[in-house]
Amino acid sequence: GILFCFWLYLWSFRLKILHNRRNALFLVLCVFVSCILTELCVTYGLFNVYILPFAIVPIVVRTFFDSRTAFFLSMVQVLLCSLIEEGAAQGNFIIMHTVACIVAIDTLQELTKRSQLIRTAICVFLSYSIMYAALTIIEEGNITAIDPHTFACFAINAVMLSFAYVIIFVFERVFGFVSKVTLVELADINNPLLQELSEKCPGTFQHSVQLSNLVAEAAREIGANSQLARAGALYHDIGKMDNPAFFTENQHDVNPHEVLTPEQSAKIVIRHVTDGLKRAEKEKLPMEIRNFILEHHGRNLAKYFYTTACNNNGGNPIDPTPFTYPGPNPRSKETSLLMMADATEAASRSLKEYNDETISNLVNKIIDGQIAQGLMKDSPLSFRDVEVVKKVFISRLRTMYHTRISYPELKKPAAKPAQ
C-alpha cells in the first residue's frame, strides 16, 4: 500500500521518472536497501538502528531529481522501515527519521561544494539530538533518562552522511546520472579537454566561454538548469578541434574556403557536429552534454554556403540536403537556449555599430527566424520564456559591447621663457 502511494505520486506528477526503467529501478533500490539494513539492525541486533544514515537517500534523490521526489521517497522509506521496528520505539523511529530527512532536503539546496554536505550532516546530527532529547523527556518526564551513548550513534550517522559524495559518484557511473557536482567539474576551464580546445581553437574557446555566461544567465531567468546550460555551452563546439582553420573565429589572414566549392566547405563545417560527438564519446562525457553538441544547430542550414551555392546557380534554389545539419532540433530548454545564443552571439560580431537599437533588432531577427523555420518545434520553451530570453540576450550583449571612453593624453607643461 505504501509503495502504491509512491507509484501514484510518480504517475500523477513524475511520469518521465516512472517511464524510465533506470530511474524507477534506482528509486526502488534505495527503498529496499534501507529496509534490508534496518532488518539486519533490528532483528539481528548488528548495531543501533540510528547509526543508519537514512537521510542519505533524500540527499542522493535530491541531487539527481528534485526535492519533492526526495521528500516522497524518504517518507516511503521511513514508513516501510518503521514496520520492522516494534513497540513504542516505532513512533520515535518515524518522528526522528522523518525530521532528519526533511532537514537534509531543506539544508541541501544544491550539492556543488563539499562544505554544503558537511553543513547538512551537522544539521541532521542536531535534528536527531534535539528530537531524541525532546521525545525522551516527554516519555520519561526526566532529563536523566537521556542516554549519552545515543548521541554517539547520531555522530556516526552524520559522519557516514558526509560520505554521500562517494555514493553519488558510484550511482552516476552505474545508472548514468549527472549530478550538480559533475557539472561544476565539467565547467572548470582547467579541464584537459577545454585546455586542448583553448590551445587548438582559441577563437572557438572564447566564443564558448561567452556563450556559457549568456545561456547560464538566461537559464536562471526562466528556471532552467543553469549549471547544465553552462557546461553544455563550453563543450558544444569541441568538434572544431579537428579542423580549426576552417572556422572564422580561428582564422589568421588565410581562409581555406576560398579554394573550395560551397558544397565542400559546408561538408567540413557541418562535420564539426559528428566530430564533436565522437570526441565526446571518447572522453566519456555524459549524454546530457552530448545533446548540446548534437542539437545546437538542429536541422538548420549552413546558410552562408547555401546562399553562395544558390548565387553560383544564377540565384535559383538548389537541393538543401548537403547544406543541412544532421540535428535533431533542440529538445530541452537548455539546448534551445544554446541554439539561440550561438546564432545571436556569432551574428553580433558582424554588427558595424553597437547600440540598443541594432542589438535589439539583431536578437529579435535571429530568434524569431529560428522559430519561423520550425527549429524550436520540439522545444519545451514557452512564448513567455522566449521573451525573457530575448531581454537577457539584449542586456548581456549590450554589456559585452559597451562603449569604452578614450583616455586623455597627459599635457606637458609649457616651457618658461629664459630670464
Side-chain angles (χ1 to χ4, degrees):
I2 295 172
L3 287 174
F4 172 77
C5 291
F6 184 61
W7 174 88
L8 191 61
Y9 159 75
L10 294 177
W11 182 76
S12 301
F13 302 105
R14 298 293 185 272
L15 270 177
K16 288 185 178 180
I17 297 177
L18 185 62
H19 289 166
N20 188 312
R21 293 183 179 180
R22 179 189 61 183
N23 295 343
L25 175 64
F26 166 73
L27 295 177
V28 171
L29 185 65
C30 288
V31 172
F32 279 100
V33 168
S34 301
C35 291
I36 291 170
L37 293 176
T38 306
E39 177 72 19
L40 292 175
C41 291
V42 175
T43 306
Y44 299 98
L46 294 182
F47 41 81
N48 193 305
V49 72
Y50 290 108
I51 290 179
L52 292 178
F54 274 78
I56 209 165
V57 169
I59 286 176
V60 173
V61 175
R62 171 70 181 84
T63 302
F64 293 138
F65 299 104
D66 58 89
S67 56
R68 192 175 181 184
T69 302
F71 173 76
F72 268 84
L73 188 67
S74 62
M75 295 303 98
V76 169
Q77 170 196 228
V78 170
L79 290 174
L80 282 175
C81 292
S82 70
L83 299 175
I84 302 171
E85 191 68 83
E86 297 177 354
Q90 192 176 58
N92 292 355
F93 182 96
I94 294 174
I95 293 173
M96 292 175 65
H97 285 307
T98 298
V99 170
C101 290
I102 293 174
V103 168
I105 295 171
D106 291 343
T107 56
L108 190 72
Q109 296 180 351
E110 286 189 4
L111 184 57
T112 55
K113 297 179 181 179
R114 287 188 295 270
S115 59
Q116 294 172 321
L117 191 57
I118 294 173
R119 181 191 63 185
T120 297
I122 293 172
C123 291
V124 169
F125 168 76
L126 293 175
S127 67
Y128 271 124
S129 302
I130 294 170
M131 293 306 299
Y132 167 70
L135 289 170
T136 303
I137 293 172
I138 289 171
E139 292 174 353
E140 303 297 333
N142 190 346
I143 196 171
T144 59
I146 297 175
D147 183 8
H149 295 92
T150 306
F151 293 103
C153 295
F154 299 150
I156 296 173
N157 186 316
V159 171
M160 296 174 67
L161 198 64
S162 63
F163 285 97
Y165 259 105
V166 178
I167 296 176
I168 290 171
F169 177 79
V170 172
F171 282 145
E172 279 186 316
R173 294 298 178 267
V174 174
F175 291 94
F177 296 139
V178 179
S179 68
K180 292 286 180 67
V181 181
T182 299
L183 292 176
V184 171
E185 292 174 351
L186 288 172
D188 183 1
I189 58 174
N190 293 314
N191 184 289
L193 188 56
L194 294 180
Q195 285 289 309
E196 184 182 358
L197 179 65
S198 67
E199 293 169 3
K200 292 183 176 180
C201 308
T204 300
F205 177 74
Q206 292 300 324
H207 163 70
S208 298
V209 170
Q210 288 188 340
L211 278 192
S212 68
N213 295 326
L214 201 59
V215 297
E217 184 175 342
R220 280 192 295 270
E221 291 296 324
I222 65 172
N225 189 333
S226 60
Q227 287 287 356
L228 177 60
R230 182 183 296 277
L234 287 172
Y235 290 89
H236 79 285
D237 270 345
I238 58 174
K240 292 182 178 180
M241 284 192 282
D242 292 344
N243 296 291
F246 286 88
F247 299 91
T248 309
E249 65 269 21
N250 303 311
Q251 292 173 358
H252 301 284
D253 299 326
V254 179
N255 186 355
H257 291 291
E258 293 177 354
V259 296
L260 300 176
T261 65
E263 289 79 7
Q264 291 172 327
S265 295
K267 183 179 180 180
I268 294 173
V269 169
I270 290 172
R271 201 171 65 197
H272 86 272
V273 173
T274 53
D275 289 342
L277 185 60
K278 291 176 183 177
R279 191 176 285 268
E281 291 173 350
K282 180 181 178 182
E283 298 292 334
K284 297 182 180 179
L285 294 180
M287 192 63 212
E288 285 80 356
I289 301 298
R290 299 181 203 177
N291 288 337
F292 284 85
I293 299 173
L294 283 170
E295 300 175 14
H296 75 277
H297 283 297
R299 295 285 298 166
N300 202 359
L301 287 173
K303 293 181 181 178
Y304 179 89
F305 301 111
Y306 177 71
T307 304
T308 302
C310 290
N311 291 338
N312 293 343
N313 193 39
N316 298 315
I318 60 174
D319 181 17
T321 304
F323 302 90
T324 305
Y325 284 92
N329 289 325
R331 294 169 293 182
S332 69
K333 288 185 177 182
E334 293 77 18
T335 54
S336 302
L337 291 176
L338 179 61
M339 173 183 277
M340 294 176 179
D342 190 23
T344 303
E345 197 275 338
S348 67
R349 296 172 182 268
S350 62
L351 287 176
K352 296 180 180 179
E353 184 180 358
Y354 295 102
N355 55 50
D356 291 352
E357 183 180 358
T358 57
I359 292 175
S360 298
N361 291 340
L362 176 71
V363 171
N364 283 286
K365 177 183 176 182
I366 294 292
I367 295 179
D368 291 343
Q370 290 175 338
I371 296 173
Q373 293 174 40
L375 298 176
M376 296 294 171
K377 62 183 179 181
D378 297 325
S379 171
L381 290 177
S382 65
F383 285 115
R384 178 184 176 280
D385 291 336
V386 172
E387 291 305 313
V388 172
V389 170
K390 286 180 180 179
K391 292 179 181 179
V392 171
F393 285 1
I394 292 170
S395 174
R396 190 77 183 190
L397 289 173
R398 190 190 304 129
T399 304
M400 288 166 56
Y401 298 112
H402 68 277
T403 304
R404 291 173 172 80
I405 61 171
S406 58
Y407 283 72
E409 294 289 338
L410 181 63
K411 294 182 179 180
K412 294 182 180 180
K416 294 183 179 179
Q419 292 294 332

